[in-house]
Coordinates of all heavy atoms in Angstrom, one line a residue:
Chain A
E61 N -96.1 17.0 -13.0 CA -96.0 18.2 -12.2 C -95.6 17.9 -10.8 O -94.9 18.7 -10.2 CB -97.4 18.9 -12.2 CG -97.7 19.6 -13.5 CD -99.1 20.1 -13.6 OE1 -99.9 19.8 -12.7 OE2 -99.5 20.8 -14.6
E62 N -96.1 16.8 -10.2 CA -95.7 16.4 -8.9 C -94.2 16.2 -8.8 O -93.5 16.6 -7.9 CB -96.4 15.1 -8.6 CG -96.3 14.6 -7.1 CD -97.1 15.5 -6.2 OE1 -97.9 16.3 -6.6 OE2 -97.0 15.3 -4.9
R63 N -93.6 15.6 -9.9 CA -92.2 15.4 -10.0 C -91.5 16.8 -9.8 O -90.5 16.8 -9.1 CB -91.8 14.9 -11.3 CG -90.3 14.8 -11.5 CD -89.7 14.9 -12.9 NE -88.3 14.7 -12.7 CZ -87.5 14.1 -13.7 NH1 -88.1 13.7 -14.8 NH2 -86.3 14.0 -13.5
D64 N -92.0 17.8 -10.4 CA -91.3 19.1 -10.3 C -91.3 19.6 -8.9 O -90.4 20.3 -8.5 CB -91.9 20.1 -11.3 CG -91.3 19.9 -12.7 OD1 -90.2 19.3 -12.7 OD2 -91.9 20.3 -13.7
R65 N -92.4 19.3 -8.2 CA -92.5 19.8 -6.8 C -91.4 19.1 -6.0 O -90.7 19.7 -5.2 CB -93.9 19.5 -6.2 CG -94.8 20.7 -6.3 CD -96.0 20.6 -5.5 NE -96.9 19.6 -5.9 CZ -97.8 19.7 -7.0 NH1 -97.8 20.9 -7.6 NH2 -98.5 18.7 -7.3
W66 N -91.2 17.8 -6.2 CA -90.2 17.0 -5.5 C -88.8 17.6 -5.8 O -88.0 17.8 -4.9 CB -90.1 15.6 -5.9 CG -91.2 14.8 -5.2 CD1 -91.5 14.7 -3.9 CD2 -92.1 13.8 -5.9 NE1 -92.6 13.9 -3.7 CE2 -92.9 13.3 -4.9 CE3 -92.2 13.4 -7.2 CZ2 -93.9 12.4 -5.2 CZ3 -93.2 12.5 -7.5 CH2 -94.0 12.0 -6.5
D67 N -88.5 17.8 -7.1 CA -87.2 18.3 -7.5 C -86.9 19.6 -6.9 O -85.8 19.9 -6.5 CB -87.1 18.3 -9.0 CG -86.8 16.9 -9.6 OD1 -86.8 16.0 -8.8 OD2 -86.6 16.8 -10.8
T68 N -88.0 20.4 -6.8 CA -87.8 21.8 -6.3 C -87.4 21.7 -4.8 O -86.5 22.4 -4.4 CB -89.2 22.5 -6.4 OG1 -89.6 22.6 -7.7 CG2 -89.0 23.9 -5.8
S69 N -88.0 20.7 -4.1 CA -87.6 20.6 -2.7 C -86.2 20.0 -2.5 O -85.5 20.3 -1.6 CB -88.7 19.8 -1.9 OG -88.7 18.5 -2.4
G70 N -85.9 19.1 -3.5 CA -84.6 18.4 -3.3 C -83.4 19.1 -3.8 O -82.3 19.0 -3.3
G71 N -83.5 19.9 -4.9 CA -82.3 20.4 -5.6 C -82.0 21.8 -5.5 O -81.0 22.3 -6.1
R72 N -82.9 22.6 -4.9 CA -82.6 24.0 -4.8 C -83.1 24.6 -3.5 O -83.9 24.0 -2.8 CB -83.3 24.7 -6.0 CG -84.8 24.4 -6.1 CD -85.4 24.8 -7.4 NE -85.5 26.2 -7.5 CZ -85.9 26.9 -8.6 NH1 -86.2 26.2 -9.7 NH2 -86.0 28.2 -8.6
D73 N -82.5 25.7 -3.1 CA -83.0 26.4 -1.9 C -83.6 27.7 -2.3 O -83.9 27.9 -3.5 CB -81.9 26.5 -0.9 CG -80.8 27.4 -1.4 OD1 -81.0 28.1 -2.5 OD2 -79.7 27.5 -0.8
R74 N -83.8 28.6 -1.3 CA -84.6 29.8 -1.7 C -83.8 30.6 -2.8 O -84.5 31.3 -3.5 CB -84.8 30.7 -0.4 CG -86.2 31.1 -0.2 CD -86.4 31.7 1.2 NE -86.3 30.7 2.2 CZ -86.0 31.0 3.5 NH1 -85.9 32.2 3.9 NH2 -86.0 30.0 4.4
E75 N -82.5 30.5 -2.8 CA -81.8 31.3 -3.8 C -81.6 30.6 -5.2 O -81.0 31.2 -6.1 CB -80.4 31.6 -3.2 CG -80.3 32.6 -2.1 CD -80.8 32.1 -0.8 OE1 -80.3 31.0 -0.5 OE2 -81.6 32.7 -0.1
G76 N -82.1 29.4 -5.3 CA -82.0 28.7 -6.6 C -81.1 27.5 -6.4 O -80.8 27.0 -5.3
W77 N -80.8 26.8 -7.6 CA -80.0 25.6 -7.6 C -78.5 25.9 -7.2 O -78.0 27.0 -7.5 CB -80.0 25.0 -8.9 CG -81.3 24.4 -9.3 CD1 -82.4 25.1 -9.8 CD2 -81.7 23.1 -9.2 NE1 -83.4 24.3 -10.0 CE2 -83.1 23.0 -9.7 CE3 -81.1 21.9 -8.8 CZ2 -83.8 21.8 -9.7 CZ3 -81.8 20.7 -8.9 CH2 -83.2 20.7 -9.3
R78 N -77.8 25.0 -6.6 CA -76.4 25.0 -6.4 C -75.8 23.7 -6.6 O -76.5 22.7 -6.4 CB -76.1 25.5 -4.9 CG -76.5 26.9 -4.6 CD -75.8 27.3 -3.2 NE -75.5 26.2 -2.3 CZ -76.0 26.0 -1.2 NH1 -77.0 26.8 -0.7 NH2 -75.7 25.0 -0.4
V79 N -74.5 23.7 -7.0 CA -73.9 22.4 -7.4 C -74.0 21.4 -6.2 O -74.3 20.2 -6.4 CB -72.5 22.6 -7.9 CG1 -71.8 21.2 -8.1 CG2 -72.5 23.4 -9.2
D80 N -73.7 21.9 -5.0 CA -73.7 20.9 -3.9 C -75.1 20.4 -3.6 O -75.3 19.3 -3.0 CB -73.0 21.5 -2.6 CG -73.7 22.8 -2.2 OD1 -74.3 23.5 -3.0 OD2 -73.5 23.2 -1.0
L81 N -76.1 21.2 -3.9 CA -77.5 20.7 -3.7 C -77.8 19.6 -4.8 O -78.6 18.7 -4.5 CB -78.5 21.9 -3.8 CG -78.4 22.8 -2.6 CD1 -79.4 24.0 -2.8 CD2 -78.7 22.1 -1.3
L82 N -77.2 19.7 -6.0 CA -77.4 18.7 -7.0 C -76.9 17.4 -6.4 O -77.5 16.3 -6.6 CB -76.7 19.0 -8.3 CG -77.3 20.2 -9.1 CD1 -76.4 20.4 -10.3 CD2 -78.7 19.9 -9.5
E83 N -75.7 17.4 -5.8 CA -75.2 16.2 -5.1 C -76.2 15.6 -4.2 O -76.4 14.4 -4.1 CB -73.9 16.7 -4.4 CG -72.7 15.8 -4.7 CD -71.5 16.3 -3.9 OE1 -71.0 17.4 -4.3 OE2 -71.0 15.6 -3.0
S84 N -76.8 16.5 -3.3 CA -77.8 16.0 -2.4 C -79.0 15.4 -3.1 O -79.6 14.4 -2.7 CB -78.3 17.1 -1.5 OG -77.2 17.8 -0.9
L85 N -79.4 16.0 -4.2 CA -80.5 15.5 -5.0 C -80.2 14.1 -5.5 O -81.1 13.2 -5.4 CB -80.8 16.4 -6.2 CG -82.0 16.0 -7.1 CD1 -83.3 15.8 -6.4 CD2 -82.1 16.9 -8.3
V86 N -79.0 13.9 -6.0 CA -78.7 12.5 -6.5 C -78.7 11.5 -5.3 O -79.1 10.4 -5.4 CB -77.3 12.5 -7.2 CG1 -76.9 11.1 -7.6 CG2 -77.5 13.4 -8.5
E87 N -78.2 12.0 -4.1 CA -78.2 11.1 -3.0 C -79.6 10.8 -2.5 O -80.0 9.6 -2.2 CB -77.5 11.8 -1.8 CG -76.0 11.5 -1.8 CD -75.2 12.5 -0.9 OE1 -75.8 13.0 0.1 OE2 -74.1 12.8 -1.2
Y88 N -80.5 11.8 -2.6 CA -81.9 11.6 -2.3 C -82.5 10.6 -3.3 O -83.3 9.7 -2.9 CB -82.5 13.0 -2.3 CG -84.0 13.0 -2.0 CD1 -84.6 12.3 -0.9 CD2 -84.9 13.8 -2.8 CE1 -85.9 12.3 -0.6 CE2 -86.2 13.8 -2.5 CZ -86.7 13.1 -1.4 OH -88.1 13.2 -1.1
N89 N -82.3 10.8 -4.6 CA -82.8 9.9 -5.6 C -82.4 8.5 -5.3 O -83.2 7.5 -5.6 CB -82.4 10.4 -7.0 CG -83.2 11.5 -7.5 OD1 -84.3 11.8 -7.0 ND2 -82.6 12.2 -8.5
A90 N -81.2 8.3 -4.8 CA -80.7 6.9 -4.6 C -81.5 6.2 -3.5 O -81.4 5.0 -3.3 CB -79.2 6.9 -4.3
M91 N -82.3 7.0 -2.7 CA -83.1 6.4 -1.7 C -84.5 6.2 -2.1 O -85.4 5.8 -1.3 CB -83.0 7.3 -0.4 CG -81.6 7.4 0.2 SD -81.6 8.3 1.7 CE -82.0 9.9 1.2
R92 N -84.9 6.6 -3.3 CA -86.3 6.5 -3.8 C -86.3 5.9 -5.2 O -86.7 6.6 -6.1 CB -87.0 7.8 -3.7 CG -86.2 9.0 -4.3 CD -87.0 10.3 -4.3 NE -86.4 11.2 -5.3 CZ -86.9 12.3 -5.7 NH1 -88.1 12.7 -5.2 NH2 -86.3 13.1 -6.6
P93 N -85.9 4.6 -5.3 CA -85.8 4.0 -6.6 C -87.2 4.0 -7.3 O -87.2 4.0 -8.6 CB -85.3 2.6 -6.3 CG -85.5 2.4 -4.9 CD -85.4 3.7 -4.2
G94 N -88.3 3.9 -6.6 CA -89.6 3.8 -7.3 C -89.9 5.1 -8.1 O -90.3 4.9 -9.3
I95 N -89.6 6.2 -7.6 CA -89.9 7.5 -8.3 C -88.9 7.6 -9.5 O -89.3 8.0 -10.6 CB -89.8 8.7 -7.3 CG1 -91.0 8.6 -6.4 CG2 -89.7 10.0 -8.1 CD1 -90.9 9.5 -5.2
V96 N -87.6 7.3 -9.2 CA -86.6 7.3 -10.3 C -87.0 6.4 -11.4 O -86.9 6.7 -12.6 CB -85.2 7.0 -9.8 CG1 -84.2 6.9 -10.9 CG2 -84.8 8.1 -8.7
Q97 N -87.5 5.2 -11.0 CA -88.0 4.2 -12.0 C -89.1 4.8 -12.9 O -89.2 4.6 -14.1 CB -88.4 2.9 -11.3 CG -88.8 1.8 -12.2 CD -89.3 0.6 -11.4 OE1 -89.4 0.6 -10.2 NE2 -89.8 -0.5 -12.1
T98 N -90.1 5.4 -12.2 CA -91.2 6.0 -12.9 C -90.8 7.0 -14.0 O -91.2 6.9 -15.1 CB -92.2 6.7 -12.0 OG1 -92.7 5.8 -11.0 CG2 -93.4 7.3 -12.7
F99 N -89.9 7.9 -13.6 CA -89.5 8.9 -14.5 C -88.5 8.5 -15.6 O -88.5 9.0 -16.7 CB -89.1 10.2 -13.7 CG -90.3 10.8 -13.0 CD1 -90.5 10.6 -11.7 CD2 -91.3 11.4 -13.8 CE1 -91.6 11.1 -11.1 CE2 -92.4 11.8 -13.2 CZ -92.6 11.7 -11.8
S100 N -87.7 7.5 -15.2 CA -86.8 6.9 -16.2 C -87.6 6.2 -17.3 O -87.4 6.3 -18.5 CB -85.8 6.0 -15.6 OG -85.0 6.7 -14.7
A101 N -88.7 5.5 -16.9 CA -89.5 4.8 -17.8 C -90.3 5.8 -18.7 O -90.4 5.6 -19.9 CB -90.5 3.9 -17.1
L102 N -90.8 6.8 -18.1 CA -91.5 7.9 -18.8 C -90.6 8.6 -19.8 O -91.0 8.9 -21.0 CB -92.2 8.9 -17.9 CG -93.5 8.4 -17.2 CD1 -93.9 9.5 -16.3 CD2 -94.5 8.2 -18.3
L103 N -89.4 8.9 -19.4 CA -88.5 9.6 -20.3 C -88.2 8.7 -21.5 O -88.2 9.1 -22.7 CB -87.1 9.9 -19.6 CG -86.0 10.4 -20.5 CD1 -86.4 11.7 -21.2 CD2 -84.7 10.6 -19.6
G104 N -88.0 7.4 -21.2 CA -87.8 6.4 -22.3 C -88.9 6.4 -23.3 O -88.8 6.5 -24.5
E105 N -90.1 6.3 -22.8 CA -91.3 6.2 -23.6 C -91.6 7.5 -24.4 O -92.1 7.5 -25.4 CB -92.6 6.0 -22.7 CG -92.9 4.6 -22.4 CD -94.2 4.5 -21.6 OE1 -94.2 4.6 -20.4 OE2 -95.3 4.3 -22.2
S106 N -91.1 8.6 -23.8 CA -91.5 9.9 -24.3 C -90.9 10.1 -25.7 O -91.3 11.0 -26.5 CB -91.0 11.1 -23.4 OG -89.6 11.3 -23.5
V107 N -89.8 9.4 -26.1 CA -89.2 9.6 -27.4 C -89.9 8.7 -28.5 O -89.6 8.8 -29.6 CB -87.7 9.2 -27.4 CG1 -87.0 10.1 -26.4 CG2 -87.4 7.7 -27.2
T108 N -91.0 7.9 -28.1 CA -91.8 7.2 -29.1 C -92.8 8.2 -29.7 O -93.1 9.3 -29.1 CB -92.5 6.0 -28.5 OG1 -93.3 6.4 -27.4 CG2 -91.5 5.0 -27.9
D109 N -93.3 7.9 -30.9 CA -94.1 8.8 -31.6 C -95.4 9.2 -30.9 O -96.1 8.4 -30.4 CB -94.5 8.2 -33.0 CG -93.2 8.1 -33.9 OD1 -92.1 8.5 -33.4 OD2 -93.4 7.6 -35.0
G110 N -95.6 10.5 -30.8 CA -96.9 11.0 -30.3 C -97.1 10.7 -28.8 O -98.3 10.7 -28.4
H111 N -96.1 10.5 -28.1 CA -96.3 10.2 -26.6 C -96.7 11.5 -25.9 O -96.1 12.6 -26.2 CB -95.0 9.7 -26.0 CG -95.2 9.1 -24.7 ND1 -95.4 9.8 -23.5 CD2 -95.4 7.8 -24.3 CE1 -95.6 9.0 -22.5 NE2 -95.6 7.7 -22.9
P112 N -97.7 11.4 -25.0 CA -98.3 12.6 -24.4 C -97.3 13.3 -23.5 O -97.5 14.4 -23.1 CB -99.5 12.1 -23.6 CG -99.3 10.6 -23.5 CD -98.5 10.2 -24.7
A113 N -96.2 12.6 -23.1 CA -95.2 13.3 -22.2 C -94.1 14.0 -23.0 O -93.2 14.6 -22.4 CB -94.6 12.3 -21.2
R114 N -94.1 13.8 -24.3 CA -93.0 14.3 -25.1 C -92.8 15.8 -25.0 O -91.7 16.3 -24.8 CB -93.2 14.0 -26.6 CG -92.0 14.4 -27.4 CD -92.0 13.9 -28.9 NE -90.8 14.3 -29.4 CZ -89.9 13.5 -30.0 NH1 -90.2 12.3 -30.2 NH2 -88.8 14.0 -30.5
T115 N -93.9 16.6 -25.1 CA -93.7 18.1 -25.0 C -93.2 18.5 -23.6 O -92.4 19.3 -23.5 CB -95.1 18.7 -25.3 OG1 -95.6 18.3 -26.5 CG2 -95.0 20.2 -25.3
F116 N -93.8 17.8 -22.6 CA -93.4 18.1 -21.2 C -91.8 17.9 -21.1 O -91.1 18.8 -20.6 CB -94.1 17.1 -20.2 CG -93.5 17.3 -18.8 CD1 -94.1 18.2 -18.0 CD2 -92.5 16.4 -18.4 CE1 -93.6 18.3 -16.7 CE2 -92.0 16.5 -17.1 CZ -92.5 17.5 -16.2
F117 N -91.3 16.7 -21.6 CA -89.9 16.5 -21.4 C -89.1 17.4 -22.3 O -88.0 17.9 -21.9 CB -89.6 15.0 -21.7 CG -89.8 14.1 -20.6 CD1 -90.8 13.1 -20.6 CD2 -89.1 14.2 -19.4 CE1 -91.1 12.3 -19.5 CE2 -89.3 13.4 -18.3 CZ -90.3 12.4 -18.4
T118 N -89.5 17.7 -23.5 CA -88.8 18.6 -24.4 C -88.6 20.0 -23.7 O -87.5 20.5 -23.6 CB -89.5 18.7 -25.7 OG1 -89.6 17.4 -26.3 CG2 -88.6 19.6 -26.7
E119 N -89.7 20.5 -23.2 CA -89.6 21.8 -22.6 C -88.8 21.8 -21.3 O -88.1 22.7 -21.0 CB -91.1 22.3 -22.3 CG -91.8 22.7 -23.6 CD -93.2 23.0 -23.4 OE1 -93.7 22.9 -22.3 OE2 -93.9 23.3 -24.4

Side-chain angles (χ1 to χ4, degrees):
Chain A
E61 287 172 352
E62 189 74 7
R63 176 207 181 150
D64 277 339
R65 268 194 291 281
W66 283 311
D67 279 4
T68 303
S69 63
R72 49 195 291 178
D73 62 12
R74 230 169 293 161
E75 285 78 44
W77 292 81
R78 293 194 335 247
V79 172
D80 57 335
L81 291 178
L82 290 179
E83 228 178 293
S84 309
L85 176 60
V86 173
E87 273 163 29
Y88 180 45
N89 281 340
M91 296 184 296
R92 46 175 199 172
I95 288 166
V96 174
Q97 185 184 358
T98 300
F99 292 103
S100 298
L102 279 176
L103 172 60
E105 273 184 275
S106 76
V107 304
T108 58
D109 293 357
H111 194 281
R114 184 173 184 127
T115 306
F116 173 87
F117 278 113
T118 302
E119 288 170 1

